[in-house]
Amino acid sequence: MSETKELDYPRYAHVEGHTDVCYSEDGRYLITCGQDGDIRIWDGIEDGDPIEKCVGSEAFAVHQSGDMLYVGDDHHTLQVYTFPKAELIDTLTRFTASVCCLDSSKDGKLIAAGGCDSSIQVVNKDTKSVLNFNGHKCPILSIKFDALAEFLVSSSCDGTVKIWSIEKKSVVKEWTSVIPVSNAFQHSKIKCTPAWDPIDGNLLAIPFGKEIKLFQRGLWRELYTLHDYRLSEQEITVMSWSKCGRYIAAGTNTGFILVWNVSSQVIVLYAECKERYSIRSLVWCPKNGEHTLAYCDDHGQLGLVENARSDDFNIDTTNDKENILMTDEESSDNVISLEQIKHDAEVELNKQRGISLNNVDGLEIDDDNSNLSSKYIPPTAGFTVDLQSPFQPCSTPVHLQRRFMVFNDVGYARQTNTADENVIDVDFHDNTVHHAFRIKNVLGHTIAAMCQEALVLGCDTQDNTPSKLVCVLLNSWDGKREWTVDLPDDDDICGLAVTADWIAVASVSRLLRLFTLGGGQREIISIPGPIVAIHGSRDRLVVVHHCGAPIPGEQNLRYCVYKIDSRVEAVCSGYVPLFPKSTLRWVGFSDYGSLCILDSAGTLRMLIKSYWSPLCYVDNTWNDTTNHYFVIGVSEARQDIRCILCKGSYYPSTTPHPFLNEIPWQIPLCDLNQEKGELEEKFWRSNLALSILPEEDGLQYDKELKTTFLKLFAMACKSGHDMRALDLCKLIRSEQYLNLALKYTMRVGNSSLATKITTIIENEAKVDDEPKPVTYSELFDGPSTSYNKNTNYTSEQSQDLFSEKYSPNDKEDNNKEVVESSSILTVIKKKQEFELMNESNDIDRAFNPFKKKTSGQANISIGTLSPFDQTNEPSSDNKRKSDLNDSSEDINSTNKSKKPKGVSKLSSFIFKK
């Protein structure tokens, strides 16, 4: 066990604040940058006159490669300087915020830069081509290429570490909650600098708080952990892997530096900086055989740790480039190997368990040829599942100093949590309804929900103070404008929802508590899983929760919608569909009460009856991939999405005041850049709106649907796709537009398609003429149980006994007749008699105009069937129909538009003058 080594006092390098340091490739120079905006090139730690260059107001990162020096500063640019003269020669790329971390590939061709705008860019310095990697939600803390330049690892202020495939530009692995979340690069106390094995990249080391975990490349599973008991009260801020691959060094937030031997997992150095400031950067000297560390603290001081592996008694210095993953059998037999003892004990234990180290998870390991020792493969397979944390819809992250606790259609609650003030400002979009006001956030509220009637706030448990629910009534009539409820001990609020009648509170104990608006307690509902989000609107409440263990990298979420009025009733439930490797970003109800969700990939979906339908790829509506939309609401009547444009971020900033945007729906069908795909998208978007909207609100979409149908039908006919045209006719239910489609086919002379459309029209007519089942309420309670006795007998034959068209006089007669009826069977018998009369007088049956002539039919040709021939004489059947109408003038005078029962819609269209 190494003893604590005291280091010499560091020297002044820059002003207090974040300071970065790197070595030149030959190990001669040290390059530093700091918050004073200067870069300094030191020829050794004792250099009294370093080369200085002012690059801006602040400099965040420096990196030297070849004869170039790369600098990230507050000018939002990646600048290139000559080395060692530090003369500006080029600007490699630009960001929308400061550039805060840099790295280069092993061959120096690729330069990676991370910005405070949460984006990463990889630039080819020869071709100047740029690859963009977007996925983090906060400023980037560090980036690092692997030895083969196939992967890139990054850490961010959002607490995540991601591995990117450079070729595919996608995330292949992600770890969440690695470090505490922060809102700015300078405010992050833990920089978290993951590093690859510099020899072949087979291992990846990531600092996790008080320990360093090493993962196997490709499988990304944890192999072992580097830790020390002296880290129990410290946090690892930065780490660095030596160029020889034998050692890993780490700096802590209390000014200590630790060095591990990677193969033996033993501490070989434990050093203490005398001033005990937090270590901000740490780097190994690249010279062969020189194990020296350079570091900078958060007070701008530069120091060295010489002979950083002096306590390592088990080192073979003759071959520094030997692979660290060698087996113990390859090491010297005269050396006491701690790992050999551990390995033998592990093998014996695994034999007792019946586990073979040579076949773990189906991986065959050859002891003689594999360079991966069996001691690095865990005996059992285990997957770490990162469950999504609970969040409040329409709110921004809690770690931000200035954030929106809620931003919806009513207004917003803006929280300011700085050293000077901690307040909540509440404002409304319509100031004529409510006035803005301010609340001192004494209790430390972090979650809120708001409607026209109330504002509810929630805070977590703090010391001995339980989690509290505070309700501020906006329309109170009894003088009580506020009430408070304490939650039970060890239970915190994780979600809030409020409507005009009730308040819902979700807690980490998986309970959903309901309150009246006045503060009375209602039902308590148990939720079968950790709650992710809740949202309420009118009498509906949706709860999204985890449902079982998901597969690695995915989320297994389930929703449940409750109807809450005088009682609680579960309306529907099911699984939440998400884009692969994504999380839930927003959940809520539309203007007409349809459930909608948005995932982190930007896909907005709506629940249509019993299935989910994607409405739009929200983030794709803007050309810049770094910009995102913060969704507020969804409207079916306007077919748009109310949202806020967030440039370079997922969340809107509080200043300046955000503007509301409305982006249209665009159902993600195929070939949207072609006319056919565009018309089909418009057709189904209108169809979707008609399935949700009431009849009076969907008139414009009904017209749009039929117009689009005719365009698609004509396009299919012109291109010769008769089957596609017929399929469209099966999808439309309008008899008027089916007749227009038939008219078009006859005009272009497509008789085969016209025949099939005629069959569809006749089938629709038969469906409309089929009698509906008679119910008890229709017989005795409805107004359609009788007929008009004031008309003549012919009128009685042509009028349906159960028709809903009646006059006030009919209703009186109906009531009398129903009272006189002795039983239901009498009325049903009368109904059957009138149906027989109608069948006997059904003189104008539908027929197929393309059917061959028989002896019992009139001589009809295709010419006489043309709808454009206005000189055709009526057929014999129509003549008989006209004679009948002459004898029933009274009927036609009262009901001219009504056709006799059984008359085909097709025949009325063809023979209409």
Side-chain angles (χ1 to χ4, degrees):
M1 187 67 65
S2 61
E3 301 295 333
T4 302
K5 177 181 179 179
E6 290 190 2
L7 301 177
D8 295 333
Y9 281 100
R11 65 170 300 168
Y12 172 84
H14 297 275
V15 298
E16 180 179 348
H18 169 74
T19 310
D20 192 27
V21 60
C22 74
Y23 268 103
S24 60
E25 285 187 331
D26 57 4
R28 174 182 175 183
Y29 295 98
L30 283 166
I31 306 104
T32 61
C33 67
Q35 296 295 287
D36 51 12
D38 294 339
I39 58 172
R40 292 184 172 90
I41 303 175
W42 310 77
D43 191 0
I45 189 68
E46 302 296 336
D47 187 3
D49 187 20
I51 299 174
E52 297 185 11
K53 181 73 174 182
C54 180
V55 297
S57 301
E58 293 177 307
F60 296 96
V62 289
H63 180 77
Q64 196 272 325
S65 176
D67 57 351
M68 302 296 179
L69 178 63
Y70 302 94
V71 180
D73 54 26
D74 60 342
H75 290 163
H76 306 178
T77 58
L78 173 56
Q79 297 182 355
V80 184
Y81 293 83
T82 60
F83 183 80
K85 295 184 179 180
E87 296 178 355
L88 179 64
I89 58 174
D90 193 9
T91 297
L92 205 56
T93 186
R94 295 181 180 274
F95 288 75
T96 59
S98 302
V99 180
C100 49
C101 52
L102 300 170
D103 191 38
S104 66
S105 60
K106 202 169 185 178
D107 57 6
K109 291 183 179 180
L110 300 178
I111 307 298
C116 290
D117 58 359
S118 73
S119 65
I120 299 172
Q121 296 185 25
V122 175
V123 186
N124 189 317
K125 72 174 187 178
D126 297 332
T127 63
K128 299 298 179 67
S129 60
V130 180
L131 299 177
N132 293 293
F133 298 84
N134 300 295
H136 286 293
K137 300 179 182 179
C138 291
I140 310 299
L141 292 173
S142 68
I143 49 176
K144 196 73 174 177
F145 280 106
D146 77 316
L148 304 179
E150 295 179 356
F151 298 107
L152 182 73
V153 62
S154 63
S155 62
S156 171
C157 291
D158 58 11
T160 64
V161 173
K162 297 177 184 288
I163 298 177
W164 307 82
S165 172
I166 298 177
E167 181 181 359
K168 298 179 180 179
K169 295 191 298 182
S170 61
V171 177
V172 297
K173 180 63 179 177
E174 177 181 0
W175 293 270
T176 59
S177 303
V178 178
I179 58 175
V181 179
S182 59
N183 60 353
F185 177 82
Q186 301 91 324
H187 297 162
S188 179
K189 297 179 181 180
I190 309 297
K191 192 177 178 183
C192 184
T193 54
W196 300 86
D197 170 13
I199 303 301
D200 51 15
N202 281 337
L203 293 178
L204 171 66
I206 303 176
F208 279 76
K210 305 178 187 300
E211 59 188 11
I212 297 175
K213 296 182 179 181
L214 284 90
F215 298 88
Q216 182 182 352
R217 175 195 180 97
L219 297 179
W220 313 118
R221 59 179 179 179
E222 182 181 345
L223 298 180
Y224 57 93
T225 301
L226 303 178
H227 55 83
D228 189 76
Y229 72 95
R230 287 165 288 195
L231 289 173
S232 59
E233 298 181 357
Q234 303 180 66
E235 296 283 342
I236 297 176
T237 56
V238 291
M239 62 157 285
S240 179
W241 206 317
S242 64
K243 300 300 179 182
C244 65
R246 289 183 176 275
Y247 306 103
I248 287 180
T252 70
N253 59 342
T254 57
F256 284 88
I257 295 177
L258 299 86
V259 178
W260 284 270
N261 184 316
V262 179
S263 60
S264 65
Q265 307 173 31
V266 174
I267 287 281
V268 297
L269 176 69
Y270 186 76
E272 175 186 2
C273 303
K274 291 185 177 180
E275 295 187 346
R276 306 286 296 276
Y277 294 134
S278 177
I279 307 299
R280 290 293 297 180
S281 55
L282 187 68
V283 62
W284 286 89
C285 179
K287 283 185 179 180
N288 292 333
E290 183 174 340
H291 298 88
T292 302
L293 280 166
Y295 70 91
C296 285
D297 57 33
D298 60 358
H299 277 57
Q301 299 180 112
L302 171 65
L304 288 183
V305 182
E306 297 179 347
N307 195 18
R309 50 85 176 157
S310 58
D311 293 338
D312 192 1
F313 60 88
N314 189 17
I315 299 299
D316 180 13
T317 59
T318 60
N319 189 5
D320 284 339
K321 294 185 179 181
E322 184 182 0
N323 196 323
I324 64 170
L325 295 178
M326 66 179 182
T327 61
D328 288 332
E329 290 78 2
E330 297 171 355
S331 61
S332 175
D333 294 336
N334 298 325
V335 178
I336 299 175
S337 176
L338 297 177
E339 275 304 302
Q340 182 64 40
I341 300 173
K342 293 168 60 178
H343 174 63
D344 295 341
E346 184 176 322
V347 171
E348 184 64 27
L349 179 62
N350 290 331
K351 286 181 179 179
Q352 297 176 5
R353 295 176 178 175
I355 300 175
S356 174
L357 286 175
N358 295 333
N359 188 3
V360 180
D361 296 337
L363 297 176
E364 296 291 340
I365 306 296
D366 187 355
D367 291 337
D368 297 330
N369 300 326
S370 176
N371 66 342
L372 181 61
S373 175
S374 60
K375 66 186 176 185
Y376 292 106
I377 301 179
T380 57
F383 296 102
T384 57
V385 178
D386 299 323
L387 298 181
Q388 182 178 357
S389 302
F391 72 96
Q392 184 71 10
C394 298
S395 68
T396 55
V398 179
H399 66 271
L400 300 177
Q401 291 183 339
R402 293 176 175 84
R403 57 179 289 260
F404 288 111
M405 302 177 72
V406 60
F407 194 116
N408 56 22
D409 294 327
V410 178
Y412 62 84
R414 183 180 61 228
Q415 180 186 10
T416 303
N417 185 15
T418 61
D420 298 330
E421 59 179 354
N422 188 0
V423 296
I424 299 174
D425 294 302
V426 182
D427 201 354
F428 302 90
H429 302 314
D430 188 359
N431 290 327
T432 60
V433 179
H434 300 297
H435 295 290
F437 59 92
R438 168 174 284 194
I439 302 174
K440 290 185 178 181
N441 195 9
V442 180
L443 298 175
H445 294 293
T446 57
I447 188 170
M450 183 169 59
C451 67
Q452 291 283 6
E453 287 75 18
L455 167 72
V456 290
L457 303 168
C459 64
D460 295 334
T461 302
Q462 299 175 2
D463 299 331
N464 296 327
T465 305
S467 180
K468 291 181 178 291
L469 171 69
V470 176
C471 177
V472 180
L473 299 175
L474 304 177
N475 292 326
S476 176
W477 54 270
D478 61 352
K480 300 294 183 180
R481 296 201 57 186
E482 183 177 321
W483 54 268
T484 305
V485 171
D486 293 344
L487 265 68
D489 296 338
D490 302 328
D491 198 6
D492 288 334
I493 297 175
C494 64
L496 289 175
V498 59
T499 66
D501 300 313
W502 46 264
I503 298 171
V505 180
S507 62
V508 296
S509 60
R510 305 180 186 180
L511 293 178
L512 188 66
R513 302 176 184 271
L514 299 180
F515 297 84
T516 64
L517 209 61
Q521 299 190 55
R522 291 191 51 177
E523 297 89 346
I524 300 180
I525 304 171
S526 291
I527 305 300
I531 298 175
V532 178
I534 66 172
H535 185 269
S537 176
R538 299 181 181 89
D539 62 344
R540 292 292 191 272
L541 173 69
V542 60
V543 180
V544 179
H545 60 87
H546 292 285
C547 182
I551 61 176
E554 298 284 350
Q555 298 294 323
N556 186 13
L557 303 181
R558 192 173 179 87
Y559 72 91
C560 186
V561 179
Y562 297 92
K563 180 182 179 182
I564 303 176
D565 41 30
S566 59
R567 60 178 183 175
V568 179
E569 179 184 358
V571 178
C572 62
S573 63
Y575 290 97
V576 177
L578 297 174
F579 194 82
K581 309 296 182 182
S582 66
T583 56
L584 185 65
R585 187 161 139 195
W586 176 82
V587 61
F589 291 99
S590 65
D591 292 351
Y592 284 84
S594 300
L595 181 60
C596 302
I597 62 168
L598 176 71
D599 56 32
S600 57
T603 307
L604 181 69
R605 295 177 174 88
M606 178 180 287
L607 183 62
I608 310 296
K609 296 181 180 178
S610 60
Y611 66 92
W612 289 92
S613 176
L615 297 182
C616 182
Y617 291 141
V618 176
D619 294 336
N620 291 355
T621 57
W622 191 267
N623 294 329
D624 193 348
T625 57
T626 62
N627 298 336
H628 306 279
Y629 281 100
F630 185 76
V631 174
I632 303 298
V634 179
S635 173
E636 295 97 329
R638 298 188 302 273
Q639 289 193 351
D640 60 18
I641 306 164
R642 298 185 297 277
C643 51
I644 299 172
L645 175 63
C646 307
K647 294 187 176 181
S649 175
Y650 281 89
Y651 305 103
S653 59
T654 56
T655 54
H657 189 278
F659 291 97
L660 202 62
N661 296 271
E662 294 181 348
I663 59 176
W665 294 1
Q666 187 179 41
I667 299 177
L669 299 181
C670 301
D671 297 332
L672 290 177
N673 55 346
Q674 299 181 6
E675 183 181 5
K676 172 180 172 292
E678 184 179 352
L679 289 174
E680 287 175 336
E681 190 274 337
K682 191 175 182 181
F683 176 86
W684 286 110
R685 181 159 39 84
S686 303
N687 198 355
L688 186 64
L690 288 174
S691 65
I692 302 172
L693 296 175
E695 184 177 356
E696 59 274 9
D697 295 338
L699 295 178
Q700 67 177 90
Y701 296 110
D702 182 63
K703 181 179 179 181
E704 184 178 286
L705 175 70
K706 295 173 181 176
T707 304
T708 311
F709 159 74
L710 292 178
K711 291 181 180 179
L712 286 170
F713 183 83
M715 183 182 298
C717 291
K718 288 181 179 179
S719 59
H721 292 87
D722 292 350
M723 183 177 292
R724 183 188 301 168
L726 187 66
D727 292 339
L728 283 170
C729 294
K730 294 177 181 178
L731 295 175
I732 199 74
R733 299 301 298 270
S734 174
E735 300 171 359
Q736 175 187 0
Y737 280 80
L738 285 175
N739 286 330
L740 289 177
L742 176 62
K743 180 178 179 180
Y744 180 84
T745 55
M746 296 178 67
R747 175 185 295 177
V748 298
N750 193 340
S751 59
S752 61
L753 181 59
T755 303
K756 296 183 180 299
I757 296 176
T758 302
T759 304
I760 296 176
I761 297 176
E762 291 177 348
N763 292 336
E764 291 293 333
K766 292 179 181 178
V767 171
D768 293 340
D769 291 340
E770 288 180 358
K772 297 181 179 179
V774 182
T775 62
Y776 185 89
S777 58
E778 289 176 336
L779 291 173
F780 292 94
D781 298 334
S784 58
T785 58
S786 182
Y787 55 93
N788 191 352
K789 296 181 179 180
N790 297 328
T791 58
N792 55 25
Y793 185 74
T794 308
S795 176
E796 292 175 358
Q797 294 180 9
S798 61
Q799 184 175 357
D800 191 352
L801 177 64
F802 291 83
S803 173
E804 295 183 356
K805 297 181 180 180
Y806 62 94
S807 63
N809 295 332
D810 295 339
K811 187 173 182 180
E812 296 177 359
D813 296 337
N814 293 342
N815 293 334
K816 293 179 182 179
E817 185 168 334
V818 170
V819 172
E820 294 174 356
S821 299
S822 59
S823 66
I824 302 176
L825 295 176
T826 306
V827 181
I828 295 177
K829 184 177 180 180
K830 188 179 298 185
K831 167 67 177 178
Q832 294 174 349
E833 292 175 356
F834 280 109
E835 287 180 352
L836 292 174
M837 294 182 203
N838 287 335
E839 291 178 1
S840 62
N841 290 276
D842 204 0
I843 60 174
D844 213 6
R845 294 292 184 182
F847 61 91
N848 187 350
F850 302 99
K851 190 175 181 181
K852 293 183 179 181
K853 184 180 65 173
T854 61
S855 58
Q857 290 182 337
N859 188 8
I860 301 175
S861 64
I862 295 297
T864 61
L865 291 177
S866 174
F868 308 104
D869 191 358
Q870 302 297 328
T871 62
N872 292 338
E873 293 295 329
S875 63
S876 59
D877 287 340
N878 282 335
K879 187 174 181 180
R880 290 195 296 130
K881 173 182 173 183
S882 176
D883 295 338
L884 178 63
N885 290 339
D886 291 339
S887 63
S888 306
E889 294 179 357
D890 295 337
I891 302 175
N892 291 331
S893 62
T894 58
N895 192 8
K896 293 182 179 180
S897 61
K898 185 173 181 180
K899 296 184 292 295
K901 184 177 179 181
V903 176
S904 171
K905 307 298 187 301
L906 174 63
S907 60
S908 63
F909 166 77
I910 291 178
F911 298 102
K912 182 179 178 182
K913 278 195 175 184

